[in-house]
Amino acid sequence: MKILTHSILLLLLFATCCVQAQTTFQDLNKNGKKDIYEDPTAPLSDRVDDLLPRLSLDEKAGISVGMGMNLPGFLQGENKDKVPGAAGSTLDIPSLGIPSVVLADGPAGLRIQPVRDSASSKTYYCTAFPIATLLASTWDTELTEKVGAAMGEEVKEYGVDILLAPGMNIHRNPLGGRNFEYFSEDPFLSGHMSAAIVKGVQSNGAGTSIKHFVANNQETNRMMVNTIAGERALREIYLRGFEIAVKEAKPWTVMSSYNKLNGPYTSQNGELLNTILRNEWGFKGLVMSDWFGGEDAVAQMKAGNDLLMPGTPAQKQSILEAVRNGTLDEAVLDANVKRILALVLQSPASQAYPYSDAPDLDAHARLARQAAAEGIVLLKNNGVLPLTKPGVKIATFGNGSYEFIAGGTGSGDVNEAYTISLVEGLEKAGYPVEAGLKAVYEKYIAAEKARQPKKRWFFDVLPPLPEMPLDAATANEKAKEADVAFVTIGRNSGEGQDRAEAGDFYLTDAEKNMIATVSDAFHAAGKRVVLLLNTGNVIETSSWSGGADAVVLAWQGGQEAGYALTDVILGKVNPSGKLPTTFPISYDDTPSAKNFPGVEIPGGKEKRMGPISMGKESEVVYEEGIYVGYRYFNTFGKKTAYPFGFGLSYTQFSYDNLVLGSRKFDGTLSVSVDVTNTGETPGKEVVQLYLSAPGKSLEKPVMELKAFAKTKLLEPGGHQTLRLTIGEKDLASFDASRSAWVAEAGNYTVNIAASSEDIKLKGGFTLPNEIVVEKVHKVLVPDRKIEELSTGKGQH
């Protein structure tokens, strides 16, 4: 009897649990039953298929268009921001329980409004991480993924669903205004660093948007320029990084770019968004437009640009009218909407995630400091660094020593709580700078700041503060008092405008005079001078670096930049950064200098947003073809100031025992090399593998980066075996005549290097027969023949 009673109780308990499971589900549409789309355990595709028919045509058009953008004094969105300062949001449909998804910038960390109620002490600051170019200088995908994970935590804990990052356009030209947002001149490095960020962010259950797809490599006339580029250059240089990131990391979204590409706007180009991105690469996510990008909402729908951001009522109306009059097939709209719904259903908003508004900012600051230090590049050192002697007296020259630049402007900026300067970093470490000089600079900077114009909106780039005039008497006086001089050169740039040659790529007369005056004074006194570069972009160095005993490229290291730079200066961190982009001797040495940023079309129209010009019709022709960055400098024997992949250390490394898995290529090739720290200081080394191909049937650069790895921290005498792998696609080049990636038969050389100009070891293997690695579609063909740069060897 007891056994029977016990069994009945168990059955009753089981039945109760089943009823509770059926009745406690989230009834989003309030119909009293669990629909498939309400079941989080059902396959995502089934949930989307169940949800789509429940939307009216008006709702489908509405969810394809964002809810506008709130910019006080300029723009007014259709609803109040859930997260003030976010870039935009999607339509919510309360009757179906479909929430609004929040999207926010950007590449160096989340950008939202930090102070929302002047009467409250509550703040919403975010971490300003190092810029993308600095992260690429670490050549450390594991560390970069950790940075992405920290960014993603802030995204999720501040109530945002999609981070509009990473940016991954190519450093085609050093004057590009947003180069700081991007990783490298090399698509392989860019693709893998971007993939690391995407994996990190999305490990939190929040999404990313890799951008700007594609060939958006300038700010001048960015919304109106037609990029004319050859098929091979597009495939090998400008698309390749995106392809790596899409296949390796599976970003939730891709953002199409502002520019036209060989005719149509990218957001209206089905060959780009459907044929290449979806059909060839297998991308399953959503494509959104850049903010106010393109000109035809219906064309964007047809091209597979699913979501129009930030969205306008006129765009929604155009889509509705096109479906009703038959010029837009509703099935096309449905396909786009399904991708939007898939995004919404996996978003934190759809999970009703209880965000805290309290991410771990202290931990993220420590990570930002580590990453900033790992990406600092030591360009020159005549034994002056590191400073190890206690009580060293330091004189700091240059506005930038006192006012560090954390990152660039515009959508790539972050509203951080603070930025640590060089002087603050040194003083915190117990190395106070010369007080009299500090007081003079602080007074000068305050006065100059008071004269600056006010920002109109977030992507205004304010003119830099003019460098304080410096006379020989002052420099001589400080040379008597101090042991070493630090001179900081700062540069900033950002969205909406490209840089200038004069006074930006090249130093100003005042800056040159400051360097020369300080160098003359300190060298005459038998003392040393250290030049520090707080820049987001490449500058000319050859004409003035001879006056310095050390040159340290700090880039823009985020809010902890001053601490990170101090760690390197004092030897607490041994610099291991390597350049992800080439420093030319002069601007004219850059192959794109002849055509950047293109020419305006005579009589062309201008696009305006209220009183602000968004650009004029223009075109730029990529006449350099595949010869971007080191591919050009190495192939054509052009000298550089500092080559791609270059960076010094406080120790030395030897490279030994190069072993190739086979002398005959058979699908993949394993490569191993031993790295030993032969110096007296613990340090890390980046090993770069460049492949040289036969280049007989198809013209090739002298060599191309195909793999890289970074050692752990090696103690003096310590060593590590690094293992690298190359595959068929790494051997292949794009043959436009066959619309195929082809690995030509012949002898290949594996170059193991410390930079693109410092080859340590060489090995070789043979590919017996040509391999057609991948056949693709004949798309994105320019409407004219481009006279591309060529060596004249092999088929171009």
Side-chain angles (χ1 to χ4, degrees), residues 21 25-29 33-48 50-51 54 345 350-351:
F25 73 93
Q26 193 173 9
D27 188 7
L28 299 174
N29 57 15
K33 65 177 184 176
K34 181 190 285 187
D35 295 301
I36 294 173
Y37 87 90
E38 296 170 326
D39 182 1
T41 67
L44 182 61
S45 59
D46 291 351
R47 298 177 69 196
V48 171
D50 180 62
L51 180 55
R54 303 172 189 271
L345 289 174
S350 186
Q351 317 306 320

Side-chain angles (χ1 to χ4, degrees), residues 548-568:
D549 299 290
V551 180
V552 183
L553 176 59
W555 295 114
Q556 292 171 342
Q559 67 187 48
E560 298 285 312
Y563 288 149
L565 182 54
T566 298
D567 289 340
V568 169

Side-chain angles (χ1 to χ4, degrees), residues 532-559:
L532 307 167
L533 304 181
N534 174 210
T535 70
N537 218 320
V538 171
I539 65 172
E540 185 273 330
T541 60
S542 296
S543 67
W544 53 262
S545 59
D549 299 290
V551 180
V552 183
L553 176 59
W555 295 114
Q556 292 171 342
Q559 67 187 48

Side-chain angles (χ1 to χ4, degrees), residues 307-353:
L307 177 62
L308 307 185
M309 291 303 295
T312 67
Q315 288 174 319
K316 175 185 174 181
Q317 193 59 36
S318 295
I319 294 168
L320 282 172
E321 290 176 1
V323 172
R324 288 168 179 156
N325 66 28
T327 55
L328 175 62
D329 189 336
E330 190 169 356
V332 171
L333 179 61
D334 285 349
N336 296 349
V337 172
K338 286 174 72 172
R339 289 188 284 263
I340 297 171
L341 295 176
L343 174 79
V344 172
L345 289 174
Q346 62 184 326
S347 68
S350 186
Q351 317 306 320
Y353 178 74

Side-chain angles (χ1 to χ4, degrees), residues 338-416:
K338 286 174 72 172
R339 289 188 284 263
I340 297 171
L341 295 176
L343 174 79
V344 172
L345 289 174
Q346 62 184 326
S347 68
S350 186
Q351 317 306 320
Y353 178 74
Y355 59 93
S356 65
D357 280 334
D360 192 346
L361 297 181
D362 289 340
H364 297 171
R366 291 191 294 272
L367 178 61
R369 178 174 179 169
Q370 178 191 354
E374 291 272 341
I376 288 173
V377 183
L378 182 61
L379 297 177
K380 179 180 179 180
N381 188 25
N382 291 339
V384 61
L385 297 177
L387 296 183
T388 56
K389 180 183 176 183
V392 173
K393 297 177 181 178
I394 302 170
T396 45
F397 297 87
N399 299 338
S401 295
Y402 303 86
E403 290 280 325
F404 244 41
I405 301 167
T409 65
S411 60
D413 194 8
V414 179
N415 293 317
E416 70 272 21

Side-chain angles (χ1 to χ4, degrees), residues 285-301:
L286 172 151
V287 175
M288 71 176 75
S289 71
D290 202 344
W291 267 229
F292 303 103
E295 62 181 359
D296 186 333
V298 175
Q300 289 171 310
M301 291 294 104

